[in-house]
Amino acid sequence: MNTENYKALLQEINQTGASLVAVSKTKPVESILELYNLGQRIFGENKVQELATKHGLLPADIEWHLIGHLQTNKVKQAAPLVSMIHSVDSLKLLVEINKQAERNNRVINCLLQIFIADEETKFGLSEQELKELLQSEEFEGMKNIRICGLMGMATNTDDEEKIGAEFEGLQKLFGVVKEQYFKGNDYFKELSIGMSSDYKIALKHGATLVRLGSVIFGER
Ligand SMILES: *Cc1c(COP(=O)(O)O)cnc(C)c1O
């Protein structure tokens, strides 16, 4: 990791008002500490076990964001450790997060992951599923989760117009959902879009959190 590159990148991101989630999956604790010492506090991991191990070895004021697909049976281990879960893609998962958060006497920040790509391999709720979730009685009763916004992953392509259109669609949906379900709710404000290959496009479409790995830490 190159210090000057990191600083330039951070400035580019912060200029738009967005924040950087440094995606440290597969990277050693030494690399994380190096970035921590430059002031970085938000780190993203996609596996609960790896997050737990690193959590135990690194400073307590790191905010750990879980960004990868989360299985219901892993929530118990994640619940005391995470400051935000980006990848909530079902009501069932949210029910479990709420339950485990309650057991830990805390409220867990969550983003609802929306499917915006045209690939079968990516997870996420459809707009219809999102509405059903938000209108469900179960959701209404949850006291230990806080929905902070939406997350999405664009199609893995060189076609910047296509990526831009996907991000724009999610930005619009964010506005509609805010208006219909979270009006006046100060917590619902995050749009987690953009990875190393497409973060510049994401910043143009309202990203408040960009999740960057390889552009900071090098290729995995
Ligand atoms: C790995 C990962 C990233 C970061 O990917 P890079 O291309 O290395 O920036 C972002 N979001 C999710 C969900 C990931 O799993």
Side-chain angles (χ1 to χ4, degrees):
M1 198 259 317
N2 173 307
T3 303
E4 291 313 311
N5 281 353
Y6 167 73
K7 287 185 177 162
L9 190 62
L10 191 63
Q11 197 189 7
E12 181 184 3
I13 294 164
N14 290 167
Q15 249 168 16
T16 69
S19 299
L20 168 64
V21 179
V23 177
S24 50
K25 63 190 186 197
T26 77
K27 299 296 173 183
V29 291
E30 292 75 23
S31 305
I32 298 176
L33 259 187
E34 208 183 324
L35 215 57
Y36 177 89
N37 289 331
L38 294 174
Q40 181 67 30
R41 289 295 176 272
I42 308 176
F43 289 89
E45 290 284 337
N46 68 339
K47 295 206 171 87
V48 176
Q49 183 55 57
E50 188 174 341
L51 188 155
T53 303
K54 289 173 174 173
H55 182 280
L57 295 169
L58 286 156
D61 63 342
I62 287 181
E63 294 173 37
W64 293 101
H65 285 208
L66 196 58
I67 59 171
H69 182 63
L70 177 59
Q71 285 173 309
T72 312
N73 63 2
K74 300 281 170 61
V75 175
K76 189 177 177 183
Q77 188 182 16
L81 311 176
V82 291
S83 81
M84 185 175 276
I85 298 174
H86 288 231
S87 43
V88 178
D89 60 359
S90 71
L91 179 59
K92 177 169 162 257
L93 179 61
L94 199 59
V95 167
E96 180 65 14
I97 295 169
N98 184 60
K99 179 175 146 193
Q100 297 299 339
E102 191 179 353
R103 286 192 177 167
N104 284 276
N105 229 327
R106 61 177 303 219
V107 174
I108 296 182
N109 296 320
C110 294
L111 304 180
L112 298 171
Q113 182 174 353
I114 311 301
F115 183 84
I116 57 171
D118 69 359
E119 296 162 321
E120 286 297 320
T121 52
K122 296 214 164 88
F123 294 98
L125 299 156
S126 66
E127 288 191 27
Q128 184 57 32
E129 289 167 333
L130 173 68
K131 281 191 185 144
E132 283 168 16
L133 186 156
L134 293 171
Q135 289 170 3
S136 68
E137 254 175 64
E138 276 163 301
F139 175 68
E140 191 116 326
M142 291 185 198
K143 301 276 181 278
N144 293 78
I145 52 103
R146 184 184 287 136
I147 303 297
C148 297
L150 304 179
M151 182 272 222
M153 290 170 87
T155 303
N156 186 5
T157 171
D158 291 335
D159 184 346
E160 298 196 354
E161 264 178 49
K162 180 174 175 59
I163 295 169
E166 289 173 356
F167 285 157
E168 193 176 310
L170 189 57
Q171 185 182 23
K172 284 204 181 114
L173 181 65
F174 176 91
V176 170
V177 170
K178 172 91 188 171
E179 177 70 22
Q180 288 187 358
Y181 300 95
F182 296 96
K183 206 170 182 175
N185 176 327
D186 293 337
Y187 294 114
F188 191 89
K189 61 174 190 215
E190 306 292 1
L191 188 55
S192 172
I193 50 174
M195 309 178 26
S196 292
S197 57
D198 56 20
Y199 77 91
K200 285 178 194 286
I201 306 171
L203 290 173
K204 288 191 191 131
H205 291 288
T208 65
L209 293 170
V210 289
R211 310 177 309 272
L212 307 186
S214 47
V215 78
I216 300 173
F217 292 107
E219 294 298 327
R220 284 181 297 275

